[in-house]
Amino acid sequence: MQKSDLDNANPTIFDVSQLPSRSQKKRSVRQGPDSKYDSILFPKHAWPWAGSKTTSTWPSDEEDDDGDDLRDDNFVEEPIDQQEIYDLISTISDPEHPHTLGQLNVVRLPDIHLSPSPAERSDPKCLSTVLVELTPTINHCSLATVIGLAVRARLEQALPPSYRVDVRMKDGSHAQDDQVNKQLADKERVAAALENDTLRGILEKMLETCA
Amino acid sequence: MAKPTARIEPLAALKPDLYQRAWQSVPHPTLPLLATTHANQVTVFSLSTLSQHSVLAGGHTRSVRSVTWQPAQPAGRLRLVTGSFDASAGLWTWDGTGAGAGAGGGETKLEMEITLDRVDEEEQQNEEEEWEFNLVLEGHEHEVKDVAFSPSGQYLATCSRDKSVWIWEDVGAADGDDEWETVAVLSEHDGDVKAVAWCPDVPGRAARGRYSADVLASASYDNTVRIWREDADGEWVCVAVLEGHDGTVWGMQWEPRPEGNKFPRLLTFSADATIRIWSLREEEEEEEKEGEGGSRLFRSGLGGIPNTMRRSMREDWDCTAVFSKVHTREIYSASWSAKTGIVASAGSDGIIALYREESETAAAAAAATTTTVEVTPESAWRVLGTVSNAHGPYEINHITWCKRFDPGAGERRGEEEMLITTGDDGVIRPWQVRIS
């Protein structure tokens, strides 16, 4: 974004070493589809997943033969936890500062909620909900919607399709909470926004810093 | 007497899979064809062969969100309108008269269908050549969300993120010209207009007061539904605002086969994960008078307001049912069967649910409507059955009842109904429903 006046010229920056992380690297971050462009255009639907283990983009580290009668859902059974979600989105760049959403404390580990929780998640067919509450750097941040969109796009691209992604502004953090939240929850508006070239350019740039 | 339950069983998916988000699958009003929107194109499937019939591509620069078949076309001609995120609506014609020549006029439905199947086979090599992109309807400022034809095919309604509903008239129909005129731009919604639906041509729909017979409903991001009618001066006016949903109203469907001469009810479904039924408050006495060409000037309920004034006033609509809650997330689609009266719903949670109206409670509710003005929204609708993970882990964007024409239907071909769901996985799946 070329802007002469930043919405927040002096944000608090956290050093990467201060950010929450696992004590030991457990596994590498999941990779989305091959082409970032496709993944933004059609998050989580752009690659051939149906019934083909060889072309699956998900690491196939377990047998999946529970006989789903509709199709072969080749998902990893290992539960995804809050830290993994954090790792996926904290590395997204802010659209106006040369820092990540983690460094700016827009994305916070305690504000990532998984339902059911990773421990309870026994049935692989059960849908999971990820709720991410964002805290924009100042309360009238005009780019809240863009940041929210980037978080939603990143998670829809990286998580298995059984995850429903809800992105909201943390209560009281943003002046137009309800409007922004409703817009981010609207599948049709999100889909249309991701077909907008200008917006897609901004999002691609924000997602470049993701592992 | 045991309460009936429904078994909802998957049939083989239509071929091919689309491998990308598909939004909507709309059956042709009479022929065994189904139009599915995905990316910036439409795939038409044959319901006889359950495989691809043709593709409409190259007309839109962004995703095609919605599609509607124009009813009452000459034999052999198919016509549909697409609504796209590129802010336009497109008019497409498939002229099968050349290939299917000799069929002549006065075809029965079945003959038409056979003709189409033959054409289908002949055209498989150059399937895209038959569809012609005739016209772009431009005017909306942002994404067109939905398109719908009035029962006669005379009017087309389009709606958009620009908060407006446009009504277009097919003025060139008589001369065979592609000439369309904008007859109304309705801008009363406070948010995106998500869907539009015309009241079907049923006996209860007759012209009322100073309004003509056509009735349009629109559903919006502003959580309301609006009802629109054309007055004697040819002006389209909002006659009612239906408030009650606590989230975006994703769409609605008019009651396909109302009881007797009742005005059709309206079914609405929402991001608030509920389904509601709305009914027009009809005063029977008044109707009789009007039916007799009544000259009654005053209406008791409004304490002596002259008829002419009253008639310019709004219609009263009440929420008369809220369905038992099944869905846990947004309901993107619901369909009300003309044959059985059963409602099917689907949405973000991947669940298909079927509901049927309980006749005794329905009768009680109807009695209550005539005696009191206040109607408690009480569910007279019972869940008949559900299916989870109907598209695996994916969201379901659309569900519709349609007639079954494949050989699997046996002798009931063209009569038996099935459900068709359209998902984010690009799978278009038919379902057999058995009530026992």
Side-chain angles (χ1 to χ4, degrees), chain A:
Chain A
M1 287 292 281
Q2 299 303 312
K3 280 188 90 176
S4 49
D5 296 314
L6 299 179
D7 274 332
N8 182 0
N10 264 316
T12 313
I13 312 294
F14 288 76
D15 189 86
V16 177
S17 62
Q18 295 173 272
L19 300 177
S21 68
R22 274 183 219 289
S23 47
Q24 48 189 2
K25 278 274 179 229
K26 208 171 128 198
R27 56 179 173 269
S28 60
V29 168
R30 279 157 209 282
Q31 296 298 316
D34 295 337
S35 154
K36 198 168 263 178
Y37 181 89
D38 285 348
S39 68
I40 289 175
L41 237 184
F42 297 108
K44 82 183 174 182
H45 325 294
W47 64 96
W49 47 268
S52 167
K53 293 198 181 208
T54 49
T55 59
S56 170
T57 47
W58 309 114
S60 178
D61 55 4
E62 276 182 57
E63 289 300 311
D64 178 18
D65 287 310
D66 61 354
D68 185 324
D69 51 4
L70 289 184
R71 70 181 65 87
D72 183 7
D73 294 323
N74 188 24
F75 304 133
V76 182
E77 308 299 334
E78 192 175 353
I80 293 167
D81 63 11
Q82 285 88 343
Q83 180 69 50
E84 189 166 352
I85 306 283
Y86 180 84
D87 293 344
L88 286 169
I89 57 177
S90 62
T91 48
I92 297 172
S93 299
D94 185 87
E96 60 174 20
H97 297 290
H99 302 289
T100 65
L101 298 183
Q103 288 171 316
L104 292 166
N105 217 21
V106 173
V107 171
R108 301 171 185 189
L109 185 59
D111 292 336
I112 295 172
H113 311 278
L114 272 167
S115 160
S117 70
E120 294 164 355
R121 194 170 191 270
S122 51
D123 181 3
K125 279 174 144 186
C126 173
L127 297 181
S128 296
T129 306
V130 183
L131 169 63
V132 179
E133 294 178 300
L134 301 175
T135 312
T137 50
I138 42 169
N139 77 355
H140 59 273
C141 175
S142 60
L143 295 171
T145 314
V146 177
I147 293 172
L149 205 53
V151 169
R152 184 172 165 158
R154 171 66 173 152
L155 290 179
E156 291 196 336
Q157 159 200 330
L159 294 173
S162 58
Y163 282 76
R164 298 290 181 268
V165 178
D166 293 329
V167 178
R168 304 173 57 86
M169 299 299 126
K170 196 167 181 180
D171 281 347
S173 67
H174 189 263
Q176 289 92 34
D177 277 350
D178 289 349
Q179 277 181 40
V180 175
N181 291 344
K182 189 164 187 173
Q183 221 168 317
L184 289 173
D186 187 313
K187 172 185 198 169
E188 192 180 45
R189 285 180 80 132
V190 168
L194 296 177
E195 291 185 33
N196 176 308
D197 290 336
T198 315
L199 197 50
R200 204 167 57 207
I202 297 169
L203 292 177
E204 279 180 29
K205 205 152 184 301
M206 292 172 72
L207 297 180
E208 263 171 17
T209 47
C210 293

Side-chain angles (χ1 to χ4, degrees), chain A residues 44-45 49 70-71 73 75 125 127 129 161-162 164 166 182-183 185-189 191-192 195, chain B residues 19 21 62-63 65 143 145 192 194 221 223 248 250 329 348 389-393 395 397 424-425:
Chain A
K44 82 183 174 182
H45 325 294
W49 47 268
L70 289 184
R71 70 181 65 87
D73 294 323
F75 304 133
K125 279 174 144 186
L127 297 181
T129 306
S162 58
R164 298 290 181 268
D166 293 329
K182 189 164 187 173
Q183 221 168 317
D186 187 313
K187 172 185 198 169
E188 192 180 45
R189 285 180 80 132
E195 291 185 33
Chain B
Y19 295 113
R21 170 183 288 159
R62 293 198 187 167
S63 282
R65 173 70 179 88
E143 301 96 77
K145 302 292 180 88
D192 314 16
K194 294 295 194 186
Y221 188 78
N223 303 359
T248 297
W250 278 108
R329 295 180 63 86
S348 170
N389 297 92
H391 279 245
E395 296 192 327
N397 293 321
D424 266 354
D425 51 3

Side-chain angles (χ1 to χ4, degrees), chain B residues 119-387:
Chain B
V119 172
D120 181 24
E121 283 159 28
E122 286 168 5
E123 293 306 314
Q124 271 185 352
Q125 272 74 42
N126 50 353
E127 56 203 10
E128 282 171 48
E129 288 182 11
E130 287 287 354
W131 282 105
E132 199 183 323
F133 189 56
N134 301 100
L135 200 62
V136 189
L137 300 175
E138 285 178 313
H140 283 294
E141 282 173 42
H142 295 294
E143 301 96 77
V144 173
K145 302 292 180 88
D146 198 18
V147 286
F149 271 106
S150 66
S152 67
Q154 182 189 5
Y155 295 119
L156 171 75
T158 58
C159 63
S160 160
R161 184 163 71 84
D162 66 15
K163 306 178 185 176
S164 71
V165 174
W166 288 47
I167 298 175
W168 313 74
E169 187 176 359
D170 184 2
V171 291
D175 312 321
D177 297 335
D178 289 332
E179 199 183 333
W180 293 68
E181 260 173 27
T182 314
V183 295
V185 176
L186 313 171
S187 321
E188 288 184 36
H189 277 295
D190 296 324
D192 314 16
V193 187
K194 294 295 194 186
V196 278
W198 292 91
C199 180
D201 188 6
V202 294
R205 188 192 71 147
R208 299 174 62 83
R210 58 193 296 248
Y211 299 121
S212 57
D214 277 309
V215 188
L216 179 69
S218 58
S220 169
Y221 188 78
D222 69 12
N223 303 359
T224 72
V225 170
R226 286 175 183 264
I227 312 268
W228 310 86
R229 304 201 68 153
E230 187 188 16
D231 69 15
D233 306 323
E235 292 285 324
W236 287 84
V237 292
C238 177
V239 295
V241 183
L242 279 45
E243 291 176 299
H245 277 296
D246 186 27
T248 297
V249 186
W250 278 108
M252 73 244 115
Q253 191 193 333
W254 292 91
E255 184 172 16
R257 214 181 51 183
E259 193 190 320
N261 279 339
K262 285 194 176 160
F263 196 83
R265 294 175 290 172
L266 191 66
L267 173 99
T268 59
F269 42 92
S270 163
D272 69 11
T274 69
I275 298 174
R276 290 169 180 260
I277 299 256
W278 309 78
S279 311
L280 175 66
R281 220 182 282 164
E282 291 182 275
E283 274 145 73
E284 291 181 25
E285 190 193 350
E286 174 199 346
E287 272 197 359
E288 282 165 26
K289 295 275 182 186
E290 282 180 3
E292 294 157 10
S295 55
R296 196 171 68 144
L297 284 169
F298 300 99
R299 182 196 187 206
S300 55
L302 283 170
I305 296 174
N307 227 2
T308 47
M309 274 183 69
R310 177 180 64 78
R311 284 191 166 156
S312 68
M313 293 174 72
R314 296 195 157 197
E315 293 181 348
D316 293 314
W317 284 77
D318 300 305
C319 178
T320 47
V322 180
F323 283 24
S324 308
K325 193 157 177 177
V326 174
H327 293 284
T328 56
R329 295 180 63 86
E330 306 198 16
I331 300 172
Y332 292 134
S333 183
S335 180
W336 196 340
S337 164
K339 193 178 167 73
T340 62
I342 294 173
V343 169
S345 64
S348 170
D349 59 11
I351 293 171
I352 297 175
L354 296 187
Y355 320 75
R356 186 148 82 178
E357 193 163 23
E358 302 275 74
S359 50
E360 58 280 28
T361 33
T369 320
T370 51
T371 51
T372 58
V373 171
E374 298 297 328
V375 177
T376 324
E378 212 169 79
S379 179
W381 290 75
R382 201 173 63 80
V383 179
L384 277 182
T386 61
V387 179

Side-chain angles (χ1 to χ4, degrees), chain B residues 62-83:
Chain B
R62 293 198 187 167
S63 282
V64 177
R65 173 70 179 88
S66 53
V67 64
T68 180
W69 297 93
Q70 186 171 17
Q73 293 299 299
R77 187 165 83 164
L78 302 173
R79 195 169 227 200
L80 46 77
V81 167
T82 45

